[in-house]
Amino acid sequence: MKYLFALLLTVNVVFYLWESRQGSAGIVNSELKLPPSAGERIVLIAELPSIPKKPAPPKPLAPPEPPPVKPAEKPVEPEVVKDAAPVPLVPACYWLGPYESDGDARRVLAALPAELKEAEVHRRSGEVPNGYWVLYPKAESMELARVNRQMLVDKGVRDLWVFDKGELQGAISLGLFTLRERAEAAAQQFRAQGIAAVEVHPRMVRNEAPWIKLQWPGDRTELERLIGVQGVALQACP
């Protein structure tokens, strides 16, 4: 057995040495630059297969373009509204009165301001004063009116009359005078006696009387201030 193992080992060593020598000879022959044989053709470099070029590195991405800048909008100028032409005021018609006589109405007409040059005196039918009452004001009931009458009697008033019907019901008459000036003087005397609430009230009757007709384009309050309405009425024309 030992001999058989030694024989196999020797054969393997010899085979290894032989293989090593054959490999070295092949390497030497491959390194020698021998001219080509007559049957071989020289291959030009241009005929060699092209070596693929390495792909060019990708170009860097361009930065994103900024959004377009919109031009600034021109501010819209407000439309200038032209003032409308003033609308002319239409004069309003008024009646001023009534007066006791044409002479009284014409005296007032002559004293009116220049703005009322177109005013004229006219006679018209309506409620006109016919005398002037000096009155103690109306009571809320006839019972209170009788209480007021007794108070006046206690103050020395003897000539008096209690209205028991009509628009003056509950008032007490202290006298009737033809002229307003006399009625005002009597009222002042009663006030001096401590009867401060007395007042002058015209007695109105239906009759024809002089009035002043005028035109005024402005406010009625301004007209009243301008002409100083006192003791008469200012009525709008129908």
Side-chain angles (χ1 to χ4, degrees):
M1 191 70 178
K2 292 182 180 179
Y3 298 109
L4 179 59
F5 177 76
L7 178 60
L8 291 176
L9 179 61
T10 303
V11 173
N12 286 330
V13 171
V14 172
F15 181 76
Y16 172 76
L17 292 176
W18 182 81
E19 284 289 333
S20 298
R21 288 178 61 86
Q22 292 295 326
S24 299
I27 294 173
V28 173
N29 292 333
S30 63
E31 292 179 354
L32 293 176
K33 298 180 180 179
L34 299 176
S37 60
E40 295 182 355
R41 188 175 64 87
I42 298 175
V43 179
L44 300 176
I45 294 177
E47 295 178 354
L48 293 175
S50 60
I51 300 174
K53 297 181 180 180
K54 292 182 179 180
K59 295 182 180 180
L61 297 177
E65 295 182 1
V69 179
K70 295 182 178 180
E73 296 182 358
K74 186 178 180 180
V76 179
E77 297 181 358
E79 183 179 355
V80 179
V81 179
K82 296 182 179 179
D83 296 336
V87 179
L89 296 176
V90 178
C93 173
Y94 293 96
W95 286 104
L96 181 63
Y99 295 94
E100 294 181 0
S101 65
D102 290 347
D104 292 341
R106 295 192 181 280
R107 280 191 292 271
V108 173
L109 178 63
L112 289 177
E115 294 89 334
L116 303 172
K117 288 182 178 180
E118 297 182 2
E120 296 176 344
V121 175
H122 296 268
R123 296 190 67 85
R124 61 190 291 253
S125 178
E127 295 287 332
V128 296
N130 184 17
Y132 295 88
W133 296 105
V134 177
L135 300 176
Y136 190 83
K138 293 190 295 183
E140 295 181 357
S141 65
M142 290 303 300
E143 183 178 354
L144 290 177
R146 285 188 286 270
V147 173
N148 291 338
R149 179 183 182 281
Q150 186 60 45
M151 179 271 296
L152 294 172
V153 172
D154 294 342
K155 287 182 177 292
V157 180
R158 296 291 179 268
D159 187 9
L160 48 80
W161 173 264
V162 179
F163 289 93
D164 57 359
K165 60 183 178 179
E167 64 176 11
L168 294 178
Q169 182 178 357
I172 300 174
S173 169
L174 303 179
L176 176 63
F177 300 85
T178 304
L179 301 177
R180 188 181 186 92
E181 291 79 5
R182 292 184 179 180
E184 293 288 356
Q188 189 62 31
Q189 291 178 0
F190 285 117
R191 295 186 186 102
Q193 297 177 24
I195 309 173
V198 294
E199 58 188 21
V200 176
H201 193 280
R203 185 181 71 166
M204 305 301 292
V205 295
R206 189 79 179 177
N207 201 352
E208 190 176 77
W211 290 71
I212 298 175
K213 186 178 183 180
L214 51 87
Q215 306 287 331
W216 177 249
D219 183 70
R220 174 173 178 148
T221 304
E222 179 64 18
L223 174 62
E224 293 177 351
R225 186 197 64 78
L226 186 65
I227 62 180
V229 177
Q230 187 176 4
V232 293
L234 181 65
Q235 301 175 356
C237 298

